[in-house]
Every structure is written in C-alpha cells, then in structure tokens.
C-alpha cells in the first residue's frame, strides 16, 4: 500500500492506477486513513440544489435531461424570480443545509441575466448560507461580478477524462472547461469540480478524470462524484450499469489524491442502498445533496437521509467546520 501523503499536484498516472487497482480492502483502508487525517469521519456536509433555469440548453451533453438536442421531453423555463430563490433557500437552511447551489441549464449566462444572478447570491448569502452556482462557462467579467456579489463556490464539472470527453459532449471541449475553472480560481472563488461515472467509460477514464482534478494548480475545494442517472430518450439512456465497486474505487481515489477536498456523493443516491452509501462514506465521501430533487432528477427524501445518518452515527457538518482548507 502507498503511504498517505501530503497535498500533491504532481501525481502520475502510474501512481493513480496503483492506488485504484490495489486490493479493495487496502484501498478502503488507505482512503479512510487519509480521511481521518483531514476530517472528522462522522460528519457529512449537506448542500441543497435548486434549478433556477431548467431545460432548453444549447449544449449536447449526452447524459443530460436539459439539453435541447437530446430527446428528453423537458420543457424549457425562464430564469426564476429572485424572491423565489431566497424563500427556497430559507427552507433549505431550516432543513439543515449549509450550502445552497443554484444551477442553470445554460452554455453560459447572458449579460442580461447577471443582475438577477447577483441579487440571488446576495440574498442567499444574507441568510447566512454558503453560496454556489453552476451556470456553464463564464468569461472574466462574469466571474468578477459573481465574486463581488459574494459567490463562495462555482461548480463546473470536467465530467469525464479528456480522452472520453468528445464521446459525451461535442459542443464544447475539455479545455473550455479547464479555462473557466482557472478563471474562477484566479478570481478567488472556491472551485467545485467533479464528474460522472457510469457513462460507458473505461476504468482508465475514471482514473484520468480524478488525475486531471488532482493535478490542477490547486485541488478543487469540492469534488462531486455523480453516478449517471440514466435519463430516458438521451443517448446514455441504456448504457450498461457500472459495477458499484468501481464507483466506490473512484470515490476512494478522489479522497487519496485530494486529501483536504470535500468529496461529494452526488447524483445517483436514489438507486444506492444504505450499505453502498456507507461504503462511499468509508471511502472518504463527506458531502451530499439533500432534498428530494437534484436539478430535475430524484434524490432520496429528507426522512430517508435522516434515518441513514442516524443508522451510521453521522452528523451534519456545521457551517464553518468544513472550512478546513
Ligand atoms: N449547465 C451547467 C453545466 O453544465 O455546467 C450547470 C448544470 S449541469 C446539469 C451540472 C452537472 O450535473 C453536470 O456537469 C453533470 O456532471 C451533472 N449531471 C447532469 N445530468 C446528470 C445525470 N443524468 N446523471 C448524473 N449527473 C448529471
Ligand atoms: C453536480 O456535480 N451534481 C449536481 C450539481 N453538480 C449541480 C447536479 C446533478 C444533476 C443530476 C441530474 C438532474 O437532476 O437533472
Ligand atoms: Fe446544458 Fe449543463 Fe445539461 Fe450540459 S449538463 S446540457 S451544459 S444543463
């Protein structure tokens, strides 16, 4: 087994492969050891998502219910009102969420939307919550405007390996994604970047995706690991289901390569047993999305997560306790 190591941005493919492919018990033990060196293993952070603009997206992401180019029958909405966002955020806070993530089905925001987006960030921040947005690609001015209105985190996923990227999305490149991530980080907004597994990729793609994140100039503050939710009428609707152990290996690799990062067990929990989720927490996941809807897809009901936390003796991470970086 490789030694638990300090923060490194120079991981090699060989090292990542060796970590990923070691016997499962050794991998879990290493991941849990790194986890305990950096976090309270019995605390999990709760974020809540809200879709502020749904459907009709110009991009062709093969997994997504919101692409206008996919066959999924989701009608396009307009950007929702600022007041509605703030009242939903208030409810999420009452339910124990500390971070509020607002997502829009855009390739990138239009300048005419910026004032409303800024007001959303300010309003949610005034509730005492951490703010996060995911709006697609951003130019420098948009990054500065969001930062100046108080945006704490920006979510922008690389989704898969550079090699597999063009099989999944053709309307933008892997490099476009990295450009936005660099702009966000350079402006001082914390980066949330992860991806999806179970899209028919090879093991090497899962390893390379985590390697790409772990060799960015700085590790992302949060890495969401999504299990594909197959959406009817999208190109990935019938993709073969991934072995769950491969998913856990991917979570463990994220934890070991990026010791101080919040690894979020994101989409796909509805189809995971309590035991599978417990294994992901043991492998170093320490954040989830709560509430019965993600952006458009189902997520476990609040009661189910409360029962899961009680079963496992897990408590919700308080605001500020996750600021370990
Ligand atoms: N349009 C923006 C963008 O793509 O950056 C923000 C919203 S987009 C829906 C946010 C992320 O959700 C995607 O990058 C992808 O990782 C994840 N996602 C979307 N559909 C998914 C699905 N069916 N299963 C798992 N994850 C999904
Ligand atoms: C992320 O990595 N997962 C979240 C969040 N970032 C925006 C989104 C999951 C979306 C799942 C499919 C849906 O709800 O449409
Ligand atoms: Fe649009 Fe984002 Fe869905 Fe891609 S993932 S189609 S960019 S909403």
């Amino acid at each position: 087994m490789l030694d638990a190591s300090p923060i490194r941005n120079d991981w090699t493919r060989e090292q990542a492969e060796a970590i990923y492919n070691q016997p499962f018990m050794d991998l879990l033990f290493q991941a849990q050891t790194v986890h305990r060196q950096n976090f309270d293993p019995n605390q999990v952070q709760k974020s809540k998502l809200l879709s502020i603009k749904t459907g009709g997206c110009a991009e062709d992401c093969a997994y997504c219910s919101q692409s206008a180019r996919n066959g999924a029958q989701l009608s396009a909405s307009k950007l929702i009102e600022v007041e509605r966002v703030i009242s939903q955020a208030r409810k999420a806070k009452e339910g124990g969420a500390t971070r509020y993530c607002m997502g829009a089905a855009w390739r990138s925001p239009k300048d005419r939307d910026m004032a409303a987006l800024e007001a959303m960030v300010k309003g949610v921040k005034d509730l005492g919550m951490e703010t996060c947005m995911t709006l697609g690609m951003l130019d420098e001015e948009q990054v500065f405007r969001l930062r100046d209105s108080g945006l704490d985190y920006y979510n922008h996923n690389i989704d898969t390996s550079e090699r597999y990227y063009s099989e999944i999305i053709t309307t933008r490149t892997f490099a476009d994604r990295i450009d936005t991530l660099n702009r966000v980080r350079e402006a001082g907004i914390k980066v949330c970047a992860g991806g999806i597994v179970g899209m028919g990729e090879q093991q090497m793609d899962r390893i390379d995706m985590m390697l790409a994140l772990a060799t960015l100039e700085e590790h992302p503050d949060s890495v969401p690991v999504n299990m594909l939710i197959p959406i009817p009428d999208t190109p990935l609707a019938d993709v073969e289901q991934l072995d769950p152990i491969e998913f856990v290996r991917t979570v463990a690799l994220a934890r070991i390569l990026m010791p101080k990062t919040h690894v979020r067990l994101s989409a796909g929990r509805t189809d995971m047993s309590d035991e599978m989720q417990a294994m992901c927490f043991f492998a170093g996941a320490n954040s989830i999305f709560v509430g019965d809807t993600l952006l458009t897809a189902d997520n476990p009901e609040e009661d189910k997560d409360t029962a899961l936390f009680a079963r496992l003796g897990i408590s919700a991470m308080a605001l500020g306790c996750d600021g370990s970086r």
Side-chain angles (χ1 to χ4, degrees), residues 57-61 63-64 66-67 104-107 159 172 177:
C57 184
E59 304 271 40
D60 70 351
C61 312
Y63 48 78
C64 190
Q66 307 200 67
S67 166
W106 283 328
R107 175 176 165 81
D159 281 326
R172 58 169 192 259
R177 280 318 245 196

Side-chain angles (χ1 to χ4, degrees), residues 44-47 264-265 269 281 287-290 305 309:
V44 169
Q45 188 262 337
K46 290 180 174 182
S47 293
R264 185 168 305 117
L265 179 55
R269 290 196 304 116
F281 295 139
S287 175
I288 57 169
F289 285 117
V290 292
D305 281 339
F309 275 31

Side-chain angles (χ1 to χ4, degrees), residues 27 84 168 196 278:
L27 174 63
R84 233 175 99 199
I168 299 296
I196 309 180

Side-chain angles (χ1 to χ4, degrees), residues 7-23:
I7 300 294
R8 288 179 45 187
N9 302 69
D10 62 350
W11 293 102
T12 65
R13 155 78 86 71
E14 291 67 33
Q15 289 167 337
E17 260 174 4
I19 293 168
Y20 188 99
N21 283 316
Q22 66 189 312

Side-chain angles (χ1 to χ4, degrees), residues 158-161 195-197 205-213:
I158 61 170
D159 281 326
T160 188
S161 67
I196 309 180
V197 294
D205 297 306
R206 293 188 282 281
I207 294 171
D208 280 351
M209 174 172 83
M210 286 308 164
L211 194 60
L213 295 168

Side-chain angles (χ1 to χ4, degrees), residues 157-175:
N157 290 341
I158 61 170
D159 281 326
T160 188
S161 67
E162 187 166 11
R163 187 196 71 85
Y164 197 55
Y165 201 81
S166 60
E167 304 277 326
I168 299 296
I169 301 148
T170 69
T171 49
R172 58 169 192 259
T173 64
F174 190 85

Side-chain angles (χ1 to χ4, degrees), residues 12 14 28 42 47 65 72 85 92 97 113 116 152-153 166 177 180 182 192 198 240 246 250 275 291 319 324:
T12 65
E14 291 67 33
L28 285 187
N42 301 308
S47 293
S65 64
V85 174
D113 297 315
D152 297 305
Y153 296 84
S166 60
R177 280 318 245 196
T180 293
N182 286 338
C192 170
E240 198 186 332
E246 287 291 309
T250 309
E275 294 81 352
L319 192 66
S324 56

